[in-house]
Amino acid sequence: MEQKREKFGSRFAVIAAMAGSAVGLGNIWRFPYILGEYGGAAFILVYIAATLVLGLPILYAESIIGRRSRSDTFGAMKKLAPGTPWRWAGLLTIISPILILSYYSVVGGWSVEYLFKSLSFDFMDMPASEIPDFFGRFISSPYQPILTHTVFMAAVVAVVLGGVSKGIEKFSKLAMPALFLLILVIAVYSLTLPGAFAGVEYLLKPDFSRLTAGACAAALGQAFFSLSLGVGAILTYASYVKKEEDLHISGVGTAVSDLIFALIAAFAVIPSVFAAGLKPTDGPSLLFETLPYIFNKMGEGVPLVSSVISVFFFVTILAAALTSAISMLEVGVAFLADEKGFKRRNATLLLGFLCWLVGVLCSLSFGPLSGVKILGATFFFFLDHLCSDWLMPMGGLIFTLFVGWKMSKADVRDEFTNGGTKNVRLFGAVYFLMRYVAPVGIIVVFVTNLLM
Ligand code: PHE
């Protein structure tokens, strides 16, 4: 089994794949609107702290479990703690990426629609005030967003069918730098828009009165979502990482690039929200209401420019979304292939279909099914809240408890330091974070969120 497992070709490929999983719609679509809902600067501070103090240790924990076991999530627990109920905890974390992918693909589909619209110059000259209506009509339509969700899901399945090293590596290497540059340009540009300054203030001047327990839980949830934590995605990728690679470097590389992407995306979106006269509390539509406005402004007088930038943007964001989505699908595929004897191809098709089906319900929850509520939320929001604020932190808790309290310290050290050759001095602090700080932090956020 060990020899047969595919491996990532180089250190760059490892970081590109992990960062490719981390950087996606979570940074560019989800982060700006969540921080808009929870009040800006103060939320960002908690989010940064959650990423570095809780997220990074969990990233290490997942990397350690994955590479040590060279298995899928369920198999990893079975291998490292044979005959214990830990494997059921591992199984739990396999369910969440499938749920996440279902609604993630719907948002991916929204980007597909915007790509087509940019290609056909549809946004050109659309007044700022009409864009929200346009978007509202689109997502509430009973068939159009399902069509684009289908296109996105089909692309995810196609890439995963291409195999680990071929499909995923190639994809990750290309898209990231291009998207990074583009977001940076948009961020700088959006600062020059009239009225944008209010947005900058919103991002930099903390208002701690808005920092409720719910906001802290949402910041933690966002950190988990953005870093792909607690769902076995990082664990599964780490199982393809060679013995000689440095898990500390891939961990920090992933966390830092993810953080930078998110912060720049916030500076690209929020100032433009103010400039366009929109509200930062507009929710999941925020990114899709602002982008056409920014692109139209950028191309004022030369409409072709706005379409070209817009097409380029949606192609790269779709690539980033795909590299995240394939890592979600890979978790379940690796499980079915390694543990249940499925052919990779069949596992991919089966799970892809399941995600598509649940995604259809999510998509319809913006239109015909908007009246159907679970615990007061529509299907889309219920799943998003369940996954990011509960299941992902729960998965993270399971992984850190496993590394900090179940595995022997000698094994953990051996894996993190590559047999005592790397990061030896750092290990004490990392172990402390994984054993105490991360689990206690997650439990505190859970409990206060439940009680308040
Ligand atoms: N981190 C991804 C993003 O920011 C989403 C993701 C969640 C990917 C869970 C894998 C697993 O878009």
Side-chain angles (χ1 to χ4, degrees):
M1 166 92 95
E2 180 130 343
Q3 304 86 298
K4 274 204 332 233
R5 233 178 147 69
E6 291 188 69
K7 303 247 167 76
F8 283 121
S10 67
R11 165 176 301 173
F12 179 71
V14 174
I15 299 184
M18 281 194 186
S21 165
V23 175
L25 295 169
N27 308 61
I28 294 154
W29 158 72
R30 199 174 188 278
F31 181 59
Y33 97 74
I34 296 274
L35 85 87
E37 256 167 30
Y38 288 100
F43 179 90
I44 298 184
L45 292 178
V46 181
Y47 165 75
I48 294 177
T51 298
L52 298 178
V53 181
L54 305 180
L56 188 55
I58 294 168
L59 194 55
Y60 289 143
E62 282 200 40
S63 307
I64 290 169
I65 301 173
R67 193 173 65 172
R68 189 86 188 160
S69 65
R70 297 232 164 278
S71 295
D72 63 283
T73 308
F74 177 80
M77 300 284 187
K78 216 168 68 177
K79 219 178 211 175
L80 300 178
T84 66
W86 277 100
R87 63 181 183 283
W88 301 116
L91 194 59
L92 185 81
T93 63
I94 290 179
I95 299 167
S96 20
I98 295 172
L99 294 178
I100 298 171
L101 181 52
S102 309
Y103 66 87
Y104 199 84
S105 170
V106 172
V107 184
W110 298 348
S111 316
V112 171
E113 171 76 10
Y114 269 48
L115 174 60
F116 287 141
K117 286 272 173 277
S118 323
L119 280 171
S120 54
F121 297 91
D122 275 19
F123 287 129
M124 222 153 65
D125 300 329
M126 194 184 273
S129 56
E130 273 176 30
I131 299 169
D133 278 353
F134 163 82
F135 184 69
R137 270 198 314 276
F138 163 63
I139 57 168
S140 58
S141 140
Y143 59 91
Q144 220 172 332
I146 293 181
L147 198 72
T148 52
H149 155 58
T150 309
V151 171
F152 185 83
M153 204 58 228
V156 177
V157 167
V159 179
V160 174
L161 283 180
V164 175
S165 47
K166 276 179 271 139
I168 298 178
E169 272 187 39
K170 266 196 206 146
F171 236 87
S172 308
K173 282 183 199 167
L174 277 173
M176 310 290 289
L179 182 64
F180 183 78
L181 278 182
L182 209 54
I183 299 263
L184 195 64
V185 170
I186 296 174
V188 172
Y189 176 79
S190 81
L191 297 180
T192 66
L193 292 170
F197 188 71
V200 177
E201 245 183 352
Y202 188 79
L203 291 172
L204 295 180
K205 244 195 194 165
D207 171 5
F208 289 104
S209 68
R210 299 191 59 182
L211 216 50
T212 55
C216 292
L220 183 68
Q222 176 58 27
F224 273 81
F225 190 92
S226 197
L227 286 173
S228 315
L229 293 179
V231 296
I234 298 292
L235 189 158
T236 305
Y237 272 10
S239 76
Y240 305 119
V241 171
K242 286 188 197 153
K243 274 272 163 275
E244 309 77 55
E245 298 299 340
D246 186 336
L247 294 182
H248 166 58
I249 293 191
S250 55
V252 171
T254 303
V256 170
S257 41
D258 188 66
L259 198 58
I260 293 177
F261 251 95
L263 293 176
I264 298 183
F267 275 91
V269 175
I270 299 289
S272 319
V273 166
F274 282 83
L278 297 164
K279 287 191 303 300
T281 47
D282 270 2
S285 53
L286 201 65
L287 178 73
F288 295 93
E289 291 174 353
T290 16
L291 284 175
Y293 168 79
I294 305 177
F295 297 143
N296 279 346
K297 281 265 170 213
M298 279 176 134
E300 230 160 39
V302 203
L304 189 64
V305 170
S306 88
S307 282
V308 169
I309 300 175
S310 175
V311 167
F312 196 46
F313 180 85
F314 285 109
V315 167
T316 50
I317 199 179
L318 273 168
L322 270 178
T323 53
S324 300
I326 51 189
S327 75
M328 298 177 211
L329 193 56
E330 181 62 26
V331 176
V333 170
F335 164 69
L336 288 181
D338 292 357
E339 305 297 324
K340 298 286 162 209
F342 274 66
K343 289 208 172 80
R344 270 189 68 93
R345 181 191 157 81
N346 295 345
T348 308
L349 291 174
L350 175 73
L351 292 178
F353 177 70
L354 260 179
C355 291
W356 176 81
L357 211 59
V358 180
V360 168
L361 292 178
C362 293
S363 181
L364 290 175
S365 75
F366 287 98
L369 296 184
S370 61
V372 181
K373 304 262 165 86
I374 308 174
L375 297 176
T378 61
F379 204 59
F380 181 98
F381 286 107
F382 170 75
L383 271 192
D384 184 36
H385 182 61
L386 173 73
C387 291
S388 63
D389 297 357
W390 296 100
L391 294 182
M392 297 181 100
M394 185 89 84
L397 184 61
I398 290 170
F399 293 137
T400 43
L401 289 179
F402 189 79
V403 168
W405 298 88
K406 178 65 195 164
M407 285 174 75
S408 79
K409 186 172 179 181
D411 282 356
V412 176
R413 166 195 276 271
D414 184 58
E415 199 58 46
F416 186 75
T417 61
N418 289 3
T421 57
K422 276 179 180 148
N423 311 316
V424 180
R425 287 233 220 101
L426 202 74
F427 179 71
V430 167
Y431 194 67
F432 181 78
L433 286 171
M434 290 190 299
R435 187 170 154 98
Y436 299 105
V437 179
V440 170
I442 295 173
I443 291 171
V444 168
V445 175
F446 267 160
V447 173
T448 35
N449 195 25
L450 273 181
L451 296 181
M452 310 275 279

